[in-house]
Amino acid sequence: MNLHPPVNDPGGPLAPADWTITVSAEIVGAVVHYFADVRRSGTQVCRLSIIGTESEEEARSRLALKARLWIDDYLSRSRSGNTGCGP
């Protein structure tokens, strides 16, 4: 499984095996706010979020695609200095 189960794969470029996401949700007013913590080798690198989905399954699929696209972009950038996640 590369960020999402192979059934109903959301598409996008596959991320390297050391990348994972953990999806959680919070209710903000009348809206469910889903977010994914994106980790590389267990270290958090970023957090992505989404609102307005019909179901948790849809949110997970959309966050997996969003994470794959973000990771692909992140890995293609040149690096200089500290690229760690802020406090």
Side-chain angles (χ1 to χ4, degrees), residues 8-46:
N8 298 322
D9 189 284
L14 292 178
D18 60 336
W19 290 85
T20 59
I21 61 172
T22 303
V23 177
S24 302
E26 292 179 349
I27 297 176
V28 180
V31 177
V32 180
H33 176 115
Y34 292 94
F35 55 93
D37 291 325
V38 180
R39 291 181 165 79
R40 184 178 197 181
S41 299
T43 302
Q44 185 172 346
V45 180
C46 83

Side-chain angles (χ1 to χ4, degrees), residues 21 33 48 57 65:
I21 61 172
H33 176 115
L48 303 169
E57 182 180 331
L65 174 58

Side-chain angles (χ1 to χ4, degrees), residues 1-80:
M1 177 171 84
N2 193 298
L3 305 184
H4 191 270
V7 176
N8 298 322
D9 189 284
L14 292 178
D18 60 336
W19 290 85
T20 59
I21 61 172
T22 303
V23 177
S24 302
E26 292 179 349
I27 297 176
V28 180
V31 177
V32 180
H33 176 115
Y34 292 94
F35 55 93
D37 291 325
V38 180
R39 291 181 165 79
R40 184 178 197 181
S41 299
T43 302
Q44 185 172 346
V45 180
C46 83
R47 175 176 276 184
L48 303 169
S49 65
I50 196 165
I51 60 171
T53 59
E54 296 292 321
S55 67
E56 182 177 346
E57 182 180 331
E58 178 189 0
R60 287 181 179 278
S61 180
R62 290 176 62 187
L63 283 167
L65 174 58
K66 197 171 184 179
R68 286 178 177 183
L69 294 171
W70 186 90
I71 292 166
D72 185 60
D73 178 63
Y74 177 84
L75 292 175
S76 70
R77 295 183 219 151
S78 60
R79 300 284 179 263
S80 63

